[in-house]
Amino acid sequence: HDTCEQRQTEIMRTLLRHMPTGRYFQSLEKWTAKPQKAHDFRFAGRALKFVTAARFPDMELVLTLEHLPKSP
């Protein structure tokens, strides 16, 4: 079992990726190949609402789990 301390070092991010290009949404005028630089919508519902309103075609929702270094 993971300890509470271990779980606190993982962060889930909610991203949008354009399927044909593989690039991640960063801002309305900016896309990136690096998921670390992509905009984090934090919630799937928020990302889906945004992509529907913006009418971006061929998008997919991506959830990433990042491991942060433990603080001493």
Side-chain angles (χ1 to χ4, degrees), residues 12-16 39-50 61-63:
M12 188 172 79
R13 299 180 72 227
T14 305
L15 315 176
L16 289 172
H39 176 75
D40 179 12
F41 287 89
R42 299 189 65 202
F43 301 100
R46 186 181 291 164
L48 295 173
K49 188 175 181 179
F50 172 80
L61 183 66
V62 177
L63 302 176

Side-chain angles (χ1 to χ4, degrees), residues 15-69:
L15 315 176
L16 289 172
R17 180 169 52 199
H18 184 241
M19 290 186 297
T21 63
R23 297 181 74 79
Y24 296 88
F25 177 82
Q26 193 170 4
S27 69
L28 284 176
E29 298 177 4
K30 204 169 194 183
W31 296 80
T32 179
K34 298 180 180 183
Q36 302 86 349
K37 292 188 175 188
H39 176 75
D40 179 12
F41 287 89
R42 299 189 65 202
F43 301 100
R46 186 181 291 164
L48 295 173
K49 188 175 181 179
F50 172 80
V51 80
T52 301
R55 297 183 183 198
F56 289 144
D58 303 320
M59 300 296 291
E60 64 183 349
L61 183 66
V62 177
L63 302 176
T64 65
L65 189 61
E66 297 182 3
H67 302 279
L68 301 178

